[in-house]
Amino acid sequence: MSEKLPEAEVIKRESNYLRGTILEGLADRTTGALPEDDTKLTKFHGSYQQDHREVRDERRRQKLEPLYQFMVRLRLPGGVLTTDQWLGLDRIADECADSTLRLTTRQTFQFHGVFKEQMQPFMQKIHALGLDSRGACGDVNRNVISNVNPDQSQLHGEIHRLSLEISERLRWRSAAYAEIWLGEECVEKLGEEEEPFYGHKYLPRKFKIALAVPPENDCDVFANDIGLIAIIEDGQVAGFNIVVGGGMGLTYGDPATYPRLATMAGYVPKARVVDACEAICAIQRDFGDRTNRAHARFKYTIDDYGMEWFRERFAEYHGQAFERPRSFSLSHNGDRFGWVEGEDGNQHLTLLIPTGRVADTDNGLLRTALRKIAEVHAGTFRITCNQNLVIANVAPENKAAVDAVVEEYKLDAGNRSSPLRQNSMACVALPTCALAMAEAERFLPEFVTRIEQAMAGEGLEPEAINLRVTGCPNGCARPYLGEIGLTGKAPGKYNLYLGADFSGQRMNRLYRENIDTDTILEELKPLFRAYRQEREAGEAFGDFMVRTGIVESERTPAMLHQPLK
């Protein structure tokens, strides 16, 4: 007798290819919510139903239902968009959402505060911009991310084209998206023809792909189910080393769940890399655990079956085995701020967007400023994997106009903040994320200030230390790759992790558990003091933590670059 499937698996299989009763739920204006089963399906359409947690008690006292609203995330492979698309999304933020845009750690936008009656207009407006939210969430391939490489124009263009091709190849294809959101007529039910790759079961869990161009690792390539590390020969992309089985999430109290860095699988020529991604995704589709969602990510499939088994399946599914991995070196995983001239003579300006939130506040008119840049800029925008923004392909004659807006609104091109602040990021967390146990986005700015003060008190400049904060252990801001990482445990309480490296190739380790902010700072102060007194020349904070034995070293992917048999 087969084991009983979890509810989420049953809902997918019985959803009529992700239709469910979403249309009927949207039409029901007696509530701001959708039926619970349909909220599992809207994730595939790029949306999470949420409620505003800070008004729950008051609404309960008033005998009102929770203030239901939706977060909508876009599919934006490689994080590139035109200025017209930026201006259109800026308008949509007012017309359909909470008047802010949020840049995510996966190079795309999240809109918050979208109420149910605005969901269809929202989707139609982004469709008119040539954008969509299909597969930005759910048990499918998510947004494909890549290096931004502002100074390597030709390579960036090639990597971006590949990110688009991979995203399109692994996009779910059911007509449900057009029927529900764009008003198209329901098509005749075509069975498996609606989803020739995913079928009616889709994937066991989410699936993530990233492309990196050494020596930069701004996409944290080892944190993904598939990591593609470009091998450059004579200035061209020859192919990719492929690493597999990365993933950041864990569940507190369940030692069977854990974050994991991807393992080296082998090399694939560029012409076959899109096919290779499809083959690997198909292996997870067919062999991933569908009985236990906590064990359904690709990292567990790899650990359960082993790398030799995986390489054998890859050769079977792909029709060609991996080649031996090529040598490479990664040195950095943050963003390079300020102006950089590309190979083609165009200019690229990277701006710091604190916690990725684009809003007009008492602290500055960031959203207005970026709108004004879009109005005078003829190039593109590129969202980075660290929640920042590149004003890309600025013609030399237009640089002064962009600079004028930057100066007028005091935007930060790396000249108005410390390296510590520039290398910090956080997930959204409270008040909307249902999984959040503690603050993250709203907590980070003041926390960075307090760390800067603690460092100064120990005679240290607030130098580049990779700092990641999340409101829960699921890892949206990749906290386990922070030299200092915090994951929320309860209101005002966090687990403290230390010892990752600055290039994203070594995870940190749990250092202290369930402590408040004051205790975190008291724990860090003597470490800062020791770092100032005992570090070697050029030694990063995380490397110092490991060298001195303060935290135990995690195995690095470099140790996993084993020759193929």
Side-chain angles (χ1 to χ4, degrees):
M1 183 174 174
S2 60
E3 192 168 350
K4 182 179 179 182
L5 293 173
E7 181 187 37
E9 197 69 23
V10 174
I11 290 170
K12 279 185 290 186
R13 296 173 186 223
E14 297 180 353
S15 70
N16 188 15
Y17 297 97
L18 306 182
R19 291 172 176 84
T21 58
I22 297 173
L23 263 176
E24 294 85 342
L26 290 168
D28 180 5
R29 296 303 165 83
T30 64
T31 173
L34 291 173
E36 184 176 353
D37 284 3
D38 287 331
T39 65
K40 307 290 194 305
L41 301 177
T42 54
K43 294 177 183 179
F44 291 79
H45 298 259
S47 178
Y48 281 78
Q49 180 174 293
Q50 302 175 331
D51 74 282
H52 197 298
R53 293 170 60 175
E54 290 177 345
V55 300
R56 280 178 182 175
D57 290 344
E58 178 59 29
R59 291 182 70 85
R60 190 179 297 115
R61 281 193 292 270
Q62 296 181 29
K63 295 183 169 41
L64 299 172
E65 72 174 9
L67 186 59
Y68 290 116
Q69 53 195 275
F70 293 82
M71 179 276 284
V72 186
R73 185 182 297 151
L74 304 190
R75 183 174 69 104
L76 193 69
V80 177
L81 70 162
T82 67
T83 53
D84 285 343
Q85 288 172 328
W86 182 280
L87 291 169
L89 295 175
D90 181 80
R91 289 192 297 270
I92 292 169
D94 281 335
E95 295 167 352
C96 298
D98 68 352
S99 296
T100 75
L101 300 92
R102 181 58 154 61
L103 311 185
T104 80
T105 58
R106 293 199 66 79
Q107 283 188 310
T108 187
F109 293 91
Q110 287 184 182
F111 288 81
H112 293 263
V114 182
F115 292 103
K116 188 168 79 171
E117 61 270 20
Q118 290 295 336
M119 282 291 288
Q120 287 170 311
F122 178 99
M123 297 297 203
Q124 291 160 16
K125 290 173 188 288
I126 64 171
H127 176 74
L129 295 173
L131 301 171
D132 65 66
S133 64
R134 186 196 303 253
C137 317
D139 297 346
V140 289
N141 181 58
R142 300 284 188 93
N143 197 50
V144 179
I145 63 175
S146 64
N147 279 79
V148 292
N149 294 313
D151 59 336
Q152 296 175 293
S153 310
Q154 182 176 336
L155 287 178
H156 177 271
E158 195 167 5
I159 292 297
H160 182 238
R161 284 191 295 275
L162 283 170
S163 72
L164 291 170
E165 289 179 30
I166 294 167
S167 179
E168 186 61 24
R169 177 74 67 86
L170 296 176
R171 175 176 62 86
W172 63 264
R173 307 204 174 269
S174 162
Y177 188 90
E179 293 168 10
I180 293 168
W181 308 114
L182 307 181
E184 295 188 10
E185 286 190 27
C186 295
V187 299
E188 181 182 352
K189 305 304 183 286
L190 300 175
E192 293 288 328
E193 294 179 28
E194 281 216 66
E195 292 289 7
F197 176 75
Y198 288 113
H200 71 288
K201 297 187 291 187
Y202 296 89
L203 293 181
R205 285 292 297 273
K206 60 187 175 183
F207 200 86
K208 297 180 177 181
I209 300 175
L211 298 88
V213 181
E216 304 295 325
N217 185 26
D218 57 334
C219 65
D220 279 331
V221 68
F222 289 101
N224 291 268
D225 296 276
I226 300 176
L228 304 174
I229 302 169
I231 303 302
I232 311 302
E233 296 177 357
D234 300 322
Q236 304 289 326
V237 178
F240 293 86
N241 282 347
I242 297 184
V243 297
V244 296
M248 289 286 97
L250 63 81
T251 301
Y252 288 141
D254 184 355
T257 66
Y258 45 84
R260 186 189 192 278
L261 291 181
T263 304
M264 178 60 66
Y267 173 87
V268 170
K270 180 181 68 175
R272 296 182 64 87
V273 75
V274 179
D275 292 340
C277 289
E278 182 177 19
I280 296 169
C281 194
I283 292 169
Q284 170 63 354
R285 177 198 64 198
D286 296 345
F287 292 95
D289 188 347
R290 293 184 181 271
T291 63
N292 177 6
R293 280 186 68 80
H295 189 254
R297 287 294 301 273
F298 189 40
K299 59 186 177 183
Y300 303 120
T301 307
I302 292 292
D303 284 345
D304 287 348
Y305 288 95
M307 282 301 296
E308 289 309 309
W309 172 91
F310 167 73
R311 291 190 179 104
E312 290 170 1
R313 296 289 77 69
F314 177 80
E316 174 188 335
Y317 276 61
H318 185 56
Q320 186 171 322
F322 285 112
E323 298 178 27
R324 291 178 181 275
R326 309 298 201 256
S327 63
F328 68 95
S329 176
L330 298 171
S331 62
H332 192 273
N333 73 345
D335 292 328
R336 311 282 186 170
F337 294 94
W339 285 104
V340 172
E341 182 174 338
E343 297 163 329
D344 56 4
N346 282 343
Q347 301 280 331
H348 309 270
L349 174 64
T350 302
L351 297 172
L352 178 68
I353 310 297
T355 67
R357 182 69 65 179
V358 178
D360 286 346
T361 69
D362 294 340
N363 295 323
L365 302 179
L366 176 58
R367 186 176 154 218
T368 295
L370 294 177
R371 184 188 314 124
K372 287 184 176 293
I373 288 177
E375 290 169 350
V376 301
H377 175 41
T380 58
F381 289 91
R382 299 176 189 165
I383 302 170
T384 80
C385 298
N386 299 297
Q387 304 175 310
N388 298 311
L389 187 67
V390 181
I391 315 301
N393 294 312
V394 179
E397 61 270 21
N398 293 334
K399 181 173 180 288
V402 174
D403 270 335
V405 178
V406 169
E407 183 57 34
E408 178 184 358
Y409 288 91
K410 301 294 186 286
L411 302 185
D412 190 347
N415 58 335
R416 301 180 190 277
S417 57
S418 70
L420 175 67
R421 195 172 297 273
Q422 293 163 19
N423 286 278
S424 64
M425 64 181 182
C427 70
V428 174
L430 297 169
T432 53
C433 179
L435 300 176
M437 303 176 185
E439 295 279 3
E441 178 183 330
R442 298 188 299 190
F443 166 78
L444 183 65
E446 178 59 27
F447 182 62
V448 172
T449 298
R450 294 190 65 184
I451 289 187
E452 290 172 337
Q453 293 168 346
M455 293 176 74
E458 300 300 334
L460 271 177
E461 294 292 326
E463 56 192 69
I465 294 176
N466 199 320
L467 170 65
R468 310 282 178 83
V469 180
T470 59
C472 81
N474 285 296
C476 290
R478 304 188 289 276
Y480 310 108
L481 287 173
E483 293 179 282
I484 300 173
L486 273 62
T487 61
K489 196 73 185 291
K493 299 288 186 68
Y494 300 85
N495 284 356
L496 172 63
Y497 293 81
L498 298 173
D501 71 330
F502 198 71
S503 64
Q505 298 183 84
R506 182 182 66 237
M507 285 194 300
N508 50 31
R509 290 297 181 92
L510 180 62
Y511 185 72
R512 295 288 184 268
E513 191 172 6
N514 198 25
I515 55 177
D516 62 21
T517 307
D518 289 341
T519 306
I520 292 169
L521 292 165
E522 289 306 310
E523 292 285 350
L524 290 174
K525 286 176 183 178
L527 303 180
F528 290 149
R529 187 181 314 127
Y531 180 51
R532 177 180 61 81
Q533 295 171 344
E534 303 171 27
R535 65 176 168 174
E536 297 177 349
E539 187 174 32
F541 182 70
D543 292 339
F544 174 79
M545 294 289 102
V546 171
R547 180 179 63 81
T548 56
I550 294 170
V551 298
E552 181 184 353
S553 174
E554 177 62 74
R555 294 184 72 199
T556 69
M559 297 176 185
L560 300 173
H561 295 177
Q562 301 296 334
L564 299 179
K565 295 181 180 178

